[in-house]
Amino acid sequence: MVNFIARRLIAMVITLLFISIIAFFLIELPPGSALDAELLRLRSRGGNLSLSQVRELEERFGVHDPWQEKYFKWVGGLFRGDFGYSFRYSREVGPLIAGRLGFSLLLAGTSLLFAWLVSIPLGVYSATHRNTIPDYIITTIQFVGVAVPEFLLALVLMVFAARFLGADVGGLFSRQYEAAPWSWGKVWDLMKHLWLPVIVVSAGSTAWLTRVMRANLLDVLNAQYVQTARAKGLKENAVVWKHAVRNALHPLIMTLGGVLPALIGGEVIASIVLNLPTAGPLFIEALRNQDMYLAITFLMFTSVLLVIGNLLADLLLAWVDPRVRLE
Amino acid sequence: MADPVANTGSTATTPDGGVDNLIQVENLEVRFYTQVGVVRALNGVDFNIPRGQVLGVVGESGSGKSITGLSIMQLVPRPGRVEGGRILYKDKPDSKTINILDLGRQSDEMRAIRGDDIGMIFQEPMTSLNPVFKVGAQIQEAILLHQTPNKQEAWDRAVDILDKVGMPNARRVANSYPHELSGGMRQRAMIAMALSCSPNLLIADEPTTALDVTTEAQILSLMRDLQSEIGTSIMFITHNMGVVAQMCDEVAVMYLGRIVERATVDDIFYDPKHPYTISLLRSIPRLGQKRGQRLEVIKGGVPDPYSTVTGCPFHPRCPSFMPGLCDTVLPIEAFIEGKTNHTVRCHLYPGCTPDSDQAVTGVSGTIPTTSKAQ
Amino acid sequence: MASTAGVAQDLRQAAKDKKKDVGQMSQWQLMARRFMQNKLSVLGLLILLGLYVLAAFSGFLAPYQFNELDSNNVFTSPTGISFAGGRPSVCGQSQVLNEELLEYEYVEDCSKRYPIQFFVRGFEYKLLGLFPTNWHLFGVSQAGAPVDEATGKPQEIKLFLFGADNQGRDMLAQILQGARVSLTVGLIGVGIATILGSVLGTASGYFGGFIDNVMQRTIELISSIPQIPLWAALAAALPREMSVVRRYILITVVLSLVAWTGLARQVRGKVMGYRSLDYANATRAAGGSHTRIILTHMLPNAVSHIVVVAALAIPGAILAETALSFLGLGMLRPAVSWGVLLRDAQSVQVVMDYPWLMIPAVLVIITLTCYQFLGDGLRDAVDPYS
């Protein structure tokens, strides 16, 4: 097992290395840089930048270096905890993004948990009560749930929450807590704001996972060992939850690696609509302004999450299914 | 075994001299309501399993053998439903008779019978054990459910019973997962599980069909040994006449959801009456048969399950078909003259043709239950 | 008893007929038949066909040009239609001087009604992109329109079925025009992805070894970057100034660059399965070339599965285009797609005040749901085990 994890970790590092090269190249691709925009802004303020000053700035940030060179500089910086510099925000990327990444992680993680906690019971109910009215309702909601874009759901829920629940929507904190240090009050305030984005971000995945769960469980319920379990005299609940569900989870866990990025994508979009202080909106803004170090840091972060998610999925699978452990 | 049931070896009798039937099935009807139509899986099945004996249930695929077994467990899968009849069960020779079908499918009483009083083995050893649990744990589960709440004790018993079914190194097997075992070993594990609570009845649904011949022989002899040792009755479902000859005391031949002939194993092999039984026996290849001699086959195939055949269901394939009678009138079950334990359902034999205005269509009327106390 | 026997007879006949039919049908006919039995999928297919027809005839169906600005009709709500006098007609507007602000304001004035006319002449367009014409399905009769005091020209009476946006553009015209982009971008993107995926997947699965290894690692790498951020990064790499058509093409390429991996994986799996089958071995033993084996034995078998996987990938691609355009990274004005239109509906305030701006979202949901039904139906039709 240790061997297995070690091998996977090495593969992970190599994958990330390749991703960083691709991502870096991609973001470097369009001409111009955020520095140009920054210079333009300075000039428009009436500041008369001399050509030599511009040169110096360009030199300092290595704007005209070939991309490979920039890449190695950047990778070298990573080891010193230096993620680069955001021209747009005139700050180091690291501190700029750190807090926001935390909220992104919190949102994606909570959504994942929510999606699983809702989709498994719903899928099980749907499969064990096949062709009943609740099953039809759940199935229809699934189809629509997969089809509703996150931003639309976000808007609709916001309107609903603002109109009928009188809830404070948008953002993750009320105004009085925004700049306040962490306290129980602040955590509670966060909880009050978090439920809506969590529903928005996890809706699509929940619908999809419910569908997967239902289909798998229907397959498994036809398996002979389920009949064996019944023939032992087990209660139907025990048959379903102990013997069937555990086998039906198998494909669900394999999709974990795929759900995580979907959640991150959803997080990006939902955050823009809901005005959340996560890293998503920053990323889109950075892409639009070619603020490359900021963009690539986010891209790398999501890839790291995805790769870790895949590793976790594999470990979980080995834990659930003894047949996987052999390999 | 902690609580072996006393066994008399031969046919058990009640104190008053009658035959002690562990299970008595009367006029059992099962239908499947599918989208295409209604499948009449069982159309009034009658038989009994004497305590301590092995009853073979023989027939082609689709004849309703497996459904009969599942009905006794109340495990007929949806969309199937038991529509009529009784399944009488007597725990001990002197205990009260209960009708299993009166118990709710999910009731505590029914679940207490499943696994404890009646065990079941299925055809596919490869898929009948849950792949994600250790073999020992799966047996332990049944013991915990019915015998003892003590986990360690249940585990020890599980290892014991694995040892008993001839598993080399039972302790290791108990700690392994199903995919680590061969087909034969898995079937032994299944038998161990089914026998773990010393049931009164073991329903074995083609337990050796998926195994190779050598393994089949081992499993059969194991079952035979355990049967005589523990005294469990066995309902042995198979389509293999050779296996019947090895295993069974009595035989019921099924065709299209009905039992067409019942007799002792000797009578079935040496004095078969029903044309279907005769055909079945002729279709077995025999040692000493001349080379180049063709095996006899039963002409035609089992009819479409959605349709109903009027008259005797076997008439379209029957070599002794009597036009005007077999295709219009359903034969009823009657004893062969001079015998008390050999019944047949064929117009060739006296007593089988009902009075002219009795049931004509596929649904049988009431058939006298052939309890041997007649 | 007689009736039971009759029913049984019917059933038997039906079973017989069915068997006869089924026996004579080709595999494709069987699939089509199974597909037709799935009512939801057929419904989905019909709705989708309807949407594509609407998009194809967008010029004919729209009374106004989709990019026609109208400062008099900023955020005009959907026009009410009344059937007074047996003919559909709309109310006019009258100009009122707001004396406080010293501005003209427009208020609905139902004292005069303007009948809706069908098959009228309007702006020039090319029907199906081929035949220049100026016929439109409907328009409003301008007879008797009051004169605008500010410009001195007669006021134009307009019919906004779906309202107007922040620049007074007709939402109906924009939605129809947007459908042309939104309904095709995903389709073409998945089309390109399917070709890429099939070729690479077949090569990977058939030849195995080194090629397979490289391909698999590449796919793994691409799928190690979350889709939406990757799409966003790719789209952001496109220069911002380019023609609408070029951008459209490049966005489809971007969509397909990410989507092909899933398809390639599926095709590879299938082909690997077929490779070891006896008939492939037999062809190889008979001296058949690789091309022959692939073209005659692998692809025909895999085609139905490829179609299904592709159909199931379409909703994702459509959603991706919508999301990218919504984020301002996909299609950009002056091009119009549903995502571009929804960009105007980003805030709660707008949605609460001008709910008709969300109509494109409803169409997105309908389209995606229908594609899912379609994909599900296709999968069930192809896969006999479900």
Side-chain angles (χ1 to χ4, degrees):
Chain A
M1 207 55 178
V2 175
N3 201 349
F4 170 78
I5 296 174
R7 269 212 321 270
R8 285 300 308 261
L9 282 175
I10 292 169
M12 237 171 80
V13 170
I14 295 172
T15 312
L16 288 174
L17 199 70
F18 273 104
I19 291 174
S20 70
I21 295 175
I22 296 173
F24 199 91
F25 174 73
L26 206 65
I27 288 168
E28 229 341 68
L29 201 59
S33 77
L35 184 63
D36 297 343
E38 203 59 15
L39 291 174
L40 210 65
R41 195 176 58 85
L42 287 176
R43 284 212 184 89
S44 69
R45 289 241 183 106
N48 210 351
L49 283 163
S50 68
L51 212 61
S52 62
Q53 275 175 305
V54 173
R55 280 277 151 68
E56 199 199 321
L57 276 174
E58 284 182 347
E59 197 69 22
R60 206 171 98 210
F61 294 110
V63 172
H64 294 298
D65 293 347
W67 75 272
Q68 305 91 308
E69 209 163 298
K70 283 191 209 167
Y71 174 77
F72 285 113
K73 254 190 209 162
W74 172 68
V75 171
L78 286 188
F79 290 102
R80 282 177 276 115
D82 175 10
F83 293 90
Y85 186 79
S86 161
F87 298 108
R88 170 104 180 130
Y89 294 90
S90 312
R91 281 179 67 186
E92 293 286 320
V93 169
L96 177 66
I97 210 171
R100 284 175 168 253
L101 283 181
F103 286 125
S104 288
L105 202 59
L106 175 72
L107 186 52
T110 318
S111 302
L112 182 67
L113 209 63
F114 181 83
W116 276 57
L117 286 181
V118 173
S119 64
I120 292 175
L122 270 188
V124 170
Y125 184 88
S126 204
T128 49
H129 295 73
R130 201 182 175 183
N131 297 335
T132 60
I133 289 171
D135 175 35
Y136 289 137
I137 295 174
I138 293 171
T139 311
T140 313
I141 295 177
Q142 283 158 32
F143 272 111
V144 180
V146 175
V148 177
E150 280 98 354
F151 61 85
L152 177 68
L153 190 65
L155 284 171
V156 171
L157 277 179
M158 272 173 90
V159 171
F160 177 81
R163 273 233 172 120
F164 301 105
L165 303 179
D168 176 20
V169 292
L172 279 181
F173 298 104
S174 311
R175 196 149 295 153
Q176 73 261 33
Y177 284 112
E178 219 159 287
W182 282 102
S183 64
W184 285 115
K186 188 170 180 174
V187 171
W188 176 238
D189 188 54
L190 177 64
M191 292 298 151
K192 278 198 294 192
H193 284 80
L194 201 58
W195 67 271
L196 197 128
V198 164
I199 292 179
V200 170
V201 171
S202 59
S205 303
T206 308
W208 184 56
L209 287 176
T210 309
R211 211 151 113 194
V212 175
M213 188 67 208
R214 177 178 184 271
N216 290 336
L217 192 61
L218 281 178
D219 277 355
V220 171
L221 283 175
N222 283 326
Q224 188 69 73
Y225 54 78
V226 171
Q227 197 73 310
T228 307
R230 289 200 185 104
K232 269 185 216 172
L234 279 175
K235 282 195 176 128
E236 189 62 20
N237 263 339
V239 171
V240 170
W241 284 98
K242 185 174 173 194
H243 285 264
V245 169
R246 183 143 175 203
N247 281 285
L249 280 180
H250 192 214
L252 211 65
I253 294 170
M254 284 207 280
T255 59
L256 178 71
V259 170
L260 216 52
L263 289 176
I264 293 165
E267 183 262 317
V268 172
I269 292 164
S271 294
I272 288 176
V273 177
L274 294 171
N275 189 25
L276 304 182
T278 63
L282 220 55
F283 170 63
I284 298 297
E285 201 52 33
L287 281 180
R288 278 206 219 117
N289 296 296
Q290 296 175 356
D291 197 354
M292 64 167 305
Y293 293 109
L294 190 53
I296 199 166
T297 306
F298 181 80
L299 208 55
M300 287 309 295
F301 166 73
T302 55
S303 300
V304 168
L305 269 192
L306 175 55
V307 177
I308 290 176
N310 280 334
L311 177 67
L312 281 181
D314 282 348
L315 292 178
L316 208 56
L317 204 59
W319 178 63
V320 166
D321 191 339
R323 284 168 295 182
V324 180
R325 284 174 224 167
L326 280 179
E327 290 144 25
Chain B
M1 293 309 299
D3 182 23
V5 175
N7 175 39
T8 52
S10 62
T11 308
T13 52
T14 49
D16 55 27
V19 177
D20 175 24
N21 286 325
L22 180 72
I23 288 276
Q24 187 162 331
V25 175
E26 293 175 1
N27 201 18
L28 185 65
E29 288 189 27
V30 174
R31 308 238 162 106
F32 281 74
Y33 294 89
T34 69
Q35 287 180 330
V36 194
V38 180
V39 178
R40 295 150 174 268
L42 297 182
N43 302 304
V45 165
D46 301 270
F47 65 90
N48 39 14
I49 306 171
R51 196 176 296 276
Q53 297 235 328
V54 180
L55 171 77
V57 179
V58 200
E60 285 167 282
S61 330
S63 59
K65 310 172 299 230
S66 298
I67 296 299
T68 309
L70 289 171
S71 301
I72 296 176
M73 294 291 263
Q74 287 232 61
L75 284 178
V76 177
R78 278 194 299 179
R81 285 218 314 253
V82 178
E83 294 273 279
R86 298 200 294 172
I87 297 174
L88 303 177
Y89 169 67
K90 224 192 233 179
D91 186 12
K92 294 197 176 68
D94 48 355
S95 63
K96 236 180 79 200
T97 306
I98 52 166
N99 180 0
I100 286 181
L101 294 179
D102 286 344
L103 306 174
R105 280 176 64 109
Q106 294 301 330
S107 64
D108 291 345
E109 295 91 339
M110 192 62 233
R111 288 190 298 101
I113 290 177
R114 281 185 208 136
D116 194 18
D117 289 29
I118 308 175
M120 191 156 184
I121 312 171
F122 299 98
Q123 179 173 348
E124 279 292 335
M126 291 304 181
T127 56
S128 45
L129 288 165
N130 194 327
V132 302
F133 294 112
K134 286 177 181 169
V135 172
Q138 295 188 51
I139 300 172
Q140 179 196 26
E141 191 181 25
I143 300 171
L144 279 173
L145 213 54
H146 301 292
Q147 307 265 310
T148 163
N150 183 328
K151 285 191 176 175
Q152 188 54 47
E153 193 188 338
W155 180 265
D156 292 342
R157 276 206 220 175
V159 174
D160 278 354
I161 187 103
L162 279 171
D163 192 44
K164 203 161 209 155
V165 296
M167 286 283 199
N169 201 346
R171 201 158 291 278
R172 214 196 59 224
V173 169
N175 265 313
S176 52
Y177 289 95
H179 67 270
E180 295 163 334
L181 306 181
S182 68
M185 278 167 85
R186 283 189 220 186
Q187 200 60 304
R188 279 175 201 264
M190 266 309 285
I191 294 173
M193 190 193 297
L195 293 179
S196 59
C197 300
S198 326
N200 290 328
L201 173 66
L202 178 67
I203 301 173
D205 187 356
E206 310 213 23
T208 56
T209 309
L211 303 175
D212 63 74
V213 205
T214 340
T215 320
E216 176 175 41
Q218 288 169 2
I219 296 287
L220 289 178
S221 86
L222 169 73
M223 287 181 73
R224 193 82 229 195
D225 291 350
L226 288 173
Q227 195 269 332
S228 57
E229 189 184 328
I230 308 173
T232 303
S233 308
I234 299 180
M235 176 175 167
F236 201 98
I237 299 167
T238 182
H239 59 254
N240 187 334
M241 287 307 250
V243 172
V244 169
Q246 281 182 60
M247 284 295 296
C248 304
D249 302 312
E250 298 198 34
V251 182
V253 181
M254 283 191 84
Y255 188 77
L256 270 193
R258 285 192 182 79
I259 287 179
V260 292
E261 184 165 5
R262 281 195 282 164
T264 61
V265 71
D266 286 349
D267 279 347
I268 284 288
F269 278 93
Y270 298 111
D271 188 20
K273 295 295 186 195
H274 198 283
Y276 178 61
T277 316
I278 297 168
S279 310
L280 265 188
L281 288 167
R282 286 217 181 120
S283 62
I284 308 174
R286 253 178 231 117
L287 282 177
Q289 207 168 12
K290 275 197 196 128
R291 270 185 75 170
Q293 190 185 335
R294 279 184 176 273
L295 261 183
E296 267 187 58
V297 291
I298 310 177
K299 63 174 183 184
V302 180
D304 187 328
Y306 297 105
S307 53
T308 25
V309 183
T310 51
C312 170
F314 188 59
H315 82 257
R317 306 170 73 186
C318 185
S320 322
F321 171 52
M322 292 178 282
L325 181 63
C326 291
D327 52 355
T328 53
V329 184
L330 180 76
I332 55 173
E333 193 172 27
F335 284 98
I336 296 295
E337 271 176 281
K339 300 220 177 167
T340 55
N341 53 3
H342 192 165
T343 68
V344 72
R345 216 183 229 274
C346 175
H347 291 303
L348 292 173
Y349 304 97
C352 286
T353 311
D355 298 336
S356 55
D357 54 7
Q358 263 195 295
V360 172
T361 52
V363 185
S364 64
T366 44
I367 299 164
T369 314
T370 50
S371 60
K372 290 177 185 174
Q374 198 168 342
Chain C
M1 275 300 170
S3 72
T4 329
V7 170
Q9 187 78 30
D10 285 348
L11 261 176
R12 212 176 324 161
Q13 193 56 43
K16 240 184 236 166
D17 285 349
K18 211 179 281 167
K19 212 170 266 170
K20 198 172 122 203
D21 275 343
V22 170
Q24 287 164 351
M25 281 177 168
S26 74
Q27 193 195 358
W28 288 102
Q29 279 172 312
L30 275 175
M31 286 178 194
R33 194 189 141 100
R34 230 176 293 149
F35 179 79
M36 295 307 278
Q37 283 168 351
N38 189 336
K39 292 193 189 67
L40 271 183
S41 311
V42 175
L43 180 74
L45 181 64
L46 290 178
I47 295 178
L48 283 175
L49 286 179
L51 285 173
Y52 278 97
V53 169
L54 290 183
F57 289 95
S58 64
F60 175 67
L61 295 168
Y64 312 108
Q65 262 166 318
F66 71 91
N67 48 9
E68 181 184 313
L69 306 181
D70 182 351
S71 55
N72 289 345
N73 279 302
V74 171
F75 287 131
T76 301
S77 57
T79 317
I81 298 173
S82 69
F83 288 88
R87 290 185 60 187
S89 60
V90 299
C91 291
Q93 282 181 329
S94 67
Q95 213 171 16
V96 181
L97 186 69
N98 183 329
E99 292 178 357
E100 268 173 49
L101 296 171
L102 282 176
E103 289 260 15
Y104 282 117
E105 280 179 352
Y106 296 88
V107 281
E108 193 167 63
D109 171 15
C110 286
S111 62
K112 180 151 175 47
R113 294 183 170 277
Y114 302 86
I116 297 172
Q117 294 172 319
F118 291 93
F119 298 101
V120 295
R121 290 187 182 273
F123 65 91
E124 283 273 342
Y125 65 96
K126 282 183 177 165
L127 188 65
L128 298 173
L130 295 172
F131 317 106
T133 173
N134 58 3
W135 283 105
H136 295 271
L137 179 63
F138 61 90
V140 183
S141 161
Q142 302 293 331
V147 173
D148 191 315
E149 285 170 34
T151 57
K153 286 181 199 158
Q155 216 179 301
E156 195 188 359
I157 307 300
K158 282 188 160 181
L159 166 57
F160 294 112
L161 264 187
F162 287 174
D165 72 359
N166 57 357
Q167 312 250 12
R169 288 171 288 217
D170 179 24
M171 282 303 283
L172 174 66
Q174 294 202 78
I175 286 169
L176 286 169
Q177 178 66 25
R180 298 187 136 194
V181 173
S182 293
L183 289 177
T184 53
V185 153
L187 204 62
I188 297 176
V190 170
I192 300 174
T194 307
I195 296 169
L196 258 176
S198 308
V199 171
L200 296 177
T202 308
S204 178
Y206 183 79
F207 294 107
F210 179 69
I211 297 179
D212 185 37
N213 228 326
V214 170
M215 211 79 82
Q216 287 314 301
R217 296 293 88 76
T218 312
I219 292 175
E220 258 167 42
L221 203 61
I222 294 179
S223 25
S224 296
I225 311 176
Q227 275 201 351
I228 296 251
L230 177 58
W231 261 322
L234 280 169
L238 303 176
R240 296 189 83 77
E241 280 82 31
M242 60 166 83
S243 74
V244 169
V245 177
R246 259 190 83 190
R247 188 161 193 97
Y248 176 88
I249 294 170
L250 286 173
I251 291 287
T252 55
V253 171
V254 164
L255 291 181
S256 60
L257 276 180
V258 179
W260 71 272
T261 52
L263 281 146
R265 254 193 198 150
Q266 298 268 350
V267 174
R268 170 179 175 265
K270 282 279 156 211
V271 168
M272 279 184 110
Y274 297 140
R275 189 177 58 168
S276 51
L277 291 184
D278 284 342
Y279 57 77
N281 284 330
T283 317
R284 212 167 295 136
S289 66
H290 289 314
T291 328
R292 190 182 161 75
I293 295 173
I294 290 173
L295 289 183
T296 57
H297 292 302
M298 310 262 161
L299 279 183
N301 272 315
V303 145
S304 55
H305 289 274
I306 293 175
V307 169
V308 171
V309 179
L312 289 169
I314 292 173
I318 293 180
L319 197 55
E321 185 274 327
T322 310
L324 287 181
S325 301
F326 177 80
L327 294 174
L329 294 168
M331 298 302 287
L332 302 168
R333 297 241 187 222
V336 174
S337 80
W338 291 343
V340 171
L341 293 177
L342 287 168
R343 201 165 155 62
D344 294 336
Q346 275 197 356
S347 79
V348 179
Q349 208 49 49
V350 172
V351 175
M352 292 228 259
D353 293 345
Y354 317 115
W356 56 90
L357 292 186
M358 295 299 279
I359 293 173
V362 177
L363 285 165
V364 171
I365 295 175
I366 292 175
T367 307
L368 295 183
T369 311
C370 287
Y371 262 117
Q372 284 185 74
F373 286 152
L374 180 68
D376 254 40
L378 283 176
R379 186 183 50 204
D380 291 350
V382 164
D383 186 1
Y385 302 109
S386 62

